[in-house]
Structures are given as structure tokens and as C-alpha cells.
Amino acid sequence: MGSTLPLPPHFDPARVGDVWPVDYQRRFHDALAWAGEHGLALAAEDDHRVCLLIVDAQNTFCTPGFELFVAGRSGTGALDDSRRLCEFLYRNLGLVTQTVATLDTHQAFQLFHAPLLVDESDRHPQPYTLVSVDDVEAGRWRVSEQAASALGLDFEYAQQHLLAYVRALESGEKYELTAWPFHAMLGGIGHALVSAIEEAVFFHTIARSSQTSFEMKGQSPLTEHYSALGPEVARDFAGTPLGSRNGRLIERLLRFDAVLVAGQAKSHCVEWTIEDLLRDSLVREHGLADRLYLLEDCTSPVVVPGVVDYTDAAEEAFARFAAAGAHVVRSTDPVASWPGPIAPAATGV
């Protein structure tokens, strides 16, 4: 299927910022009819296999009013990204073989949430507080004894871990430990995919007979987990694993002729997922970089006016990825005009 499709009648771009229950039964029948009307083949019959990797397109990041809405400098970043992502998937149902969606997944007592840290007066950090090595060494921030108890940890171990952790971030040239607002809370509405994106992914699943793969990340209480492939810090100071690398996902992505990447945030989970991919020895061996397409208009950086702005860091990262061979493209440009190996499938060759 080389040509782009019209948007299906049920899609309303004005509702992308709303939360609603997807009418699965109706969309099931709509997708079957749509596939027949437009001659969509089964995904299993694709000669050129294309994966759409959707990173953390959850309400918590993408829906205004939720905990960690990724506004970008425009103030409507993730909202606009979600609309463009839905439109891209609907128009390219015949191109995308499978969708893979990652889900940031957290609970209250985690290293980057306020309950785990206290200052010298036993006050918890405000959202977006940065915790440096100097802060921990000077005692400006330490682990809460109550939080350590809640996690079943020895307090001295937890305190040693905090110091080793921020040192590991610094030595690895990663962002400082951030006290994020509570977000992507397991069991909460914020954890769910944006309704419009969930609907589009489900529609694709039925129309192409291709099951979406969902990948949960971020459950470890003692490390951040920006990348979909592994934790920010892999082991504690004693060498005990803090989380596992998702080698299964890497192997899945390597089976595609092209991998498209979108989602949130450009400066964090998207950036570090791509960084991890490009550094992986198996990925380099199989030349995935040349088959990687970054939908730059379907992702935005974290910006909190007057507090933090990661726009420049995100742009520098994407320039670095392009230099490594990845293709930085726009979802609104014809896929047939994109460079690299995706062009044959897009043009029907």
C-alpha cells in the first residue's frame, strides 16, 4: 500500500486533548470496513516491514492539565504532537506493519518522587528540584527514613545508594537527579495512553490484523528509567541490578526494515531510548541507525518556564543522532520524499 489514506470519519482532531473511553466494538467494525474499502493488506503480507515505536504517549505527558504535560516552548507541544501522530498513523495504515507503545510506569515511593527525599529540615523537594552530587555530599538532600522503611530498605543502604546514584549520573554525563511531579502512576488515568492515540493504535491493530506490543518501563524504585531499553543506572554501589535491559525489544526492532520513533519527551525518554539504541552493539552490527526515522514534529522537550528548558539539549541530541545515520523527518511530509530505505515501501516499489 503506497498511497496515503484519508482520515477516517470518527477521528476528530479537536478531541485529542480530551480523555474518553474508546468504543472498541464500534471501532472494530469501522476498521474492518475501512480495510476493505481501501484494500489494506494483512500486516503479515508486508514485504517491507515498518515499526512505529510510540514512546510514552500517555495522558501524564500529553494531555493538558495532567501531571507532567510536555508543553515545549510553544505551550501546546505534546498536544500538537499527539494530533500529528494520530493523523500520520491513519494516513499511513498501509505503511506501518506494527505499533510498539512504551508505558512509563511508576508508584509513589521512587527515587525521583518527593516522598523519597528530605532536606535538613525534613522537608520534601518541590517539583523539578535538581539534586546534584554536591547536594547529597553536603547533606542538603538525603533519603527519608520513612520512605526507606516503606520500601523495606535499610536506611544506611538507601543513603549510600543515593550518593552512589547521583555520582553515577554525573560520571555517565546524564541529567542530574530530578524530583519530578508524581506522574505515570500505575493504576491512574495518567498512566493510560492518550485516548485519541489509543483509538488510532486499536484501529490500526484491527485494520492490519497486527497486535500492538506494549512495553512497560520504570517500575524500579531506585533508578530513573527514561530509556525504553534500560534503567539510567543499571546497578547499585554493591553491584546488585536495579533493573534489566530490554534485549527482547531490541531484537524485535531489528526485525523491521524501518523503525519510526515518536512520543514524549524529546529531551528525556525519546532521547535516551534513541541514545541507547545507537550505542547498542547488536544495533550497530545490524545497521539499524540507517533504518531509524525520528518524527521530529511528533515529540517535544520538557519546558517549565522559569524552571527548566531542555529544548537546546534535545535539539543537540537529534543533531547527534542524525550524524550517526538516523533520519530526522516530519510526519507531515510525504513519506515517499523521506530519505533512506523506507522510500521503496512508501512509493509502492
Side-chain angles (χ1 to χ4, degrees):
M1 183 71 183
S3 60
T4 58
L5 301 175
L7 297 174
H10 70 263
F11 176 63
D12 181 359
R15 294 192 68 202
V16 168
D18 297 339
V19 177
W20 75 86
V22 174
D23 190 338
Y24 301 110
Q25 192 65 18
R26 178 172 292 183
R27 293 293 88 83
F28 166 62
H29 292 293
D30 290 346
L32 289 178
W34 196 253
E37 179 181 349
H38 295 282
L40 292 172
L42 299 177
E45 298 175 0
D46 286 357
D47 292 327
H48 196 85
R49 290 170 47 79
V50 176
C51 173
L52 175 59
L53 175 61
I54 304 173
V55 179
D56 300 357
Q58 298 158 270
N59 287 317
T60 199
F61 302 116
C62 302
T63 303
F66 275 77
E67 305 91 354
L68 197 50
F69 176 63
V70 180
R73 285 181 176 169
S74 71
T76 58
L79 184 65
D80 299 330
D81 299 334
S82 294
R83 174 181 52 78
R84 286 187 286 262
L85 179 56
C86 288
E87 292 175 351
F88 175 83
L89 182 54
Y90 283 129
R91 293 191 186 282
N92 294 279
L93 287 171
L95 170 70
V96 176
T97 307
Q98 186 181 30
T99 56
V100 176
T102 71
L103 296 170
D104 212 26
T105 305
H106 303 316
Q107 292 184 268
F109 288 101
Q110 295 199 252
L111 191 63
F112 43 81
H113 280 159
L116 206 125
L117 299 171
V118 290
D119 65 12
E120 297 162 295
S121 301
D122 283 333
R123 293 173 299 197
H124 297 289
Q126 293 298 310
Y128 304 106
T129 296
L130 299 178
V131 180
S132 68
V133 172
D134 288 344
D135 290 332
V136 178
E137 289 180 340
R140 285 187 287 272
W141 293 110
R142 58 180 173 81
V143 174
S144 160
E145 292 188 43
Q146 291 89 339
S149 176
L151 291 172
L153 299 175
D154 175 77
F155 173 70
E156 292 302 325
Y157 164 85
Q159 189 61 22
Q160 289 182 63
H161 172 73
L162 175 62
L163 180 56
Y165 185 85
V166 293
R167 285 173 173 170
L169 291 179
E170 183 178 89
S171 64
E173 298 183 344
K174 298 191 175 187
Y175 295 135
E176 289 180 330
L177 174 62
T178 303
W180 294 109
F182 296 104
H183 65 286
M185 298 294 281
L186 182 61
I189 299 172
H191 185 256
L193 285 179
V194 170
S195 296
I197 293 177
E198 183 196 5
E199 186 174 54
V201 166
F202 179 79
F203 194 84
H204 172 271
T205 292
I206 301 303
R208 297 298 315 281
S209 192
S210 174
Q211 188 84 293
T212 299
S213 174
F214 289 95
E215 302 284 340
M216 293 176 65
K217 67 180 183 66
Q219 297 97 315
S220 174
L222 295 180
T223 179
E224 293 165 302
H225 207 303
Y226 297 138
S227 170
L229 304 179
E232 287 294 279
V233 176
R235 296 179 180 274
D236 69 6
F237 64 90
T240 304
L242 297 173
S244 59
R245 187 161 179 79
N246 194 341
R248 178 177 51 81
L249 176 55
I250 294 175
E251 292 175 1
R252 177 187 293 275
L253 296 178
L254 287 173
R255 294 199 290 268
F256 290 95
D257 297 293
V259 176
L260 321 181
V261 185
Q264 302 305 331
K266 183 178 184 179
S267 55
H268 287 75
C269 296
V270 170
E271 176 181 335
W272 287 111
T273 295
I274 299 167
E275 190 85 53
D276 261 6
L277 271 174
L278 294 178
R279 288 178 177 177
D280 186 85
S281 59
L282 198 59
V283 166
R284 292 199 300 270
E285 179 184 337
H286 287 81
L288 181 61
D290 185 54
R291 293 179 277 140
L292 201 59
Y293 291 80
L294 315 182
L295 303 183
E296 65 171 345
D297 60 342
C298 293
T299 183
S300 293
V302 171
V303 176
V304 181
V307 182
V308 293
D309 185 338
Y310 288 100
T311 303
D312 292 341
E315 294 304 320
E316 290 169 6
F318 267 49
R320 189 167 65 250
F321 301 151
H327 308 284
V328 179
V329 297
R330 297 186 66 81
S331 69
T332 52
D333 290 339
V335 176
S337 70
W338 291 0
I342 201 170
T347 56
V349 175

